[in-house]
Amino acid sequence: MLYANALTKDYGAHRALDDVNLTVESGEIYSLLGANGAGKSTTIKLFLGFLEPTAGCAEVDGLDPQREPQAVRRRLLYVPETVGLYDELTGYENLDYFARLAGVQDRSPDRLRESLTAAGLASDAFNRRVSHYSKGMRQKVGIALATIKEAKALLLDEPTSGLDPEASAEFHDLLLRQRDRGAAVLMATHDLFRAREVATTIGLMQAGRLRRTLDASRITASDLESLYLEEMGRRP
């Protein structure tokens, strides 16, 4: 579903991403771990088509984000650190608006409410203005859009940053549901514990390179922390 081959991005003399290869199949969660500047966000932006690669390629469902941006974005949902919603609209109205932009045909009230409920948003918040929402509630509207859009892939950039432990656990439960319905999930995060809990595969990035690829089911939390610290301490 998501495929990167020798993906490279330069900004002048600075190489932000260096020969990255990764694959995320449907029903998998791939967590990219690394410090700020490791290349995690650059990787996601290349899949979205926000940036053009210097070399190599990124593909979404066999499509090039640069050549077929609209077709690619119909298949994706992007959840940044803070989901951009219209504060003057309610959660329900935001979902209806963005579903319309995404070309969702069935935007019946029942389906919109079902999607918000499936994303874990309390029913008494549906008609409340988003300006009164917590960050966790905003993220749930984003997941509701993935549900109603039936997105084939989710790209997540630090989605749990700033969430309290309960909200973080709740959000990751939602990701598991998206995985179980067959979505491919690529998530950039600093949260080693949650990455191990939800990921199928973990990639350790440092200085633009994918240093290690780990099977999350075969590694302990302690071993992951040790490997992470070892890679982050390595010179570029």
Side-chain angles (χ1 to χ4, degrees):
M1 183 62 205
L2 299 173
Y3 172 73
N5 180 40
L7 194 58
T8 301
K9 179 61 182 177
D10 293 338
Y11 294 99
H14 173 64
R15 177 149 290 185
L17 206 65
D18 189 6
D19 197 32
V20 167
N21 298 282
L22 65 83
T23 301
V24 191
E25 301 289 356
S26 298
E28 292 184 351
I29 297 177
Y30 193 121
S31 286
L32 287 174
L33 291 173
N36 290 335
K40 306 185 304 297
S41 295
T42 299
T43 302
I44 286 175
K45 289 174 183 177
L46 286 162
F47 275 112
L48 288 164
F50 292 172
L51 299 174
E52 184 174 357
T54 302
C57 69
E59 293 181 359
V60 178
D61 203 18
L63 302 173
D64 184 330
Q66 292 297 315
R67 295 178 181 176
E68 301 177 86
Q70 296 306 316
V72 164
R73 287 169 196 171
R74 280 195 295 270
R75 289 162 168 77
L76 293 177
L77 183 77
Y78 173 48
V79 180
E81 184 175 345
T82 302
V83 174
L85 301 175
Y86 290 101
D87 285 350
E88 66 273 18
L89 300 180
T90 66
Y92 177 94
E93 289 168 340
N94 268 282
L95 180 59
D96 183 36
Y97 175 73
F98 285 108
R100 188 184 303 271
L101 286 183
V104 175
Q105 296 299 310
D106 182 3
R107 298 187 309 278
S108 65
D110 283 349
R111 187 156 186 247
L112 290 169
R113 292 190 185 101
E114 285 170 5
S115 297
L116 289 168
T117 298
L121 192 68
S123 59
D124 61 2
F126 291 3
N127 295 314
R128 195 185 311 163
R129 288 189 178 184
V130 166
S131 58
H132 300 294
Y133 277 21
S134 67
K135 179 179 177 180
M137 292 166 72
R138 288 172 177 263
Q139 303 295 64
K140 289 175 182 178
V141 176
I143 293 295
L145 182 57
T147 301
I148 201 167
K149 184 180 178 182
E150 298 179 342
K152 291 187 175 184
L154 278 69
L155 301 178
L156 312 169
D157 197 355
E158 303 291 352
T160 58
S161 175
L163 295 183
D164 62 47
E166 182 180 357
S168 177
E170 215 172 53
F171 184 82
H172 282 106
D173 284 344
L174 295 174
L175 288 191
L176 293 177
R177 290 183 212 166
Q178 293 298 309
R179 178 204 65 188
D180 291 346
R181 73 165 179 82
V185 180
L186 178 61
M187 176 174 66
T189 182
H190 288 104
D191 191 336
L192 274 69
F193 172 76
R194 291 295 175 195
R196 183 185 167 276
E197 288 292 303
V198 302
T200 310
T201 304
I202 296 171
L204 302 183
M205 294 196 77
Q206 195 259 1
R209 295 182 181 179
L210 189 58
R211 299 287 192 176
R212 291 181 190 252
T213 303
L214 309 168
D215 182 338
S217 67
R218 295 177 177 271
I219 190 167
T220 67
S222 177
D223 287 344
L224 176 58
E225 182 179 30
S226 296
L227 288 170
Y228 177 85
L229 292 174
E230 177 184 329
E231 293 300 340
M232 295 310 105
R234 183 189 294 190
R235 291 186 179 182

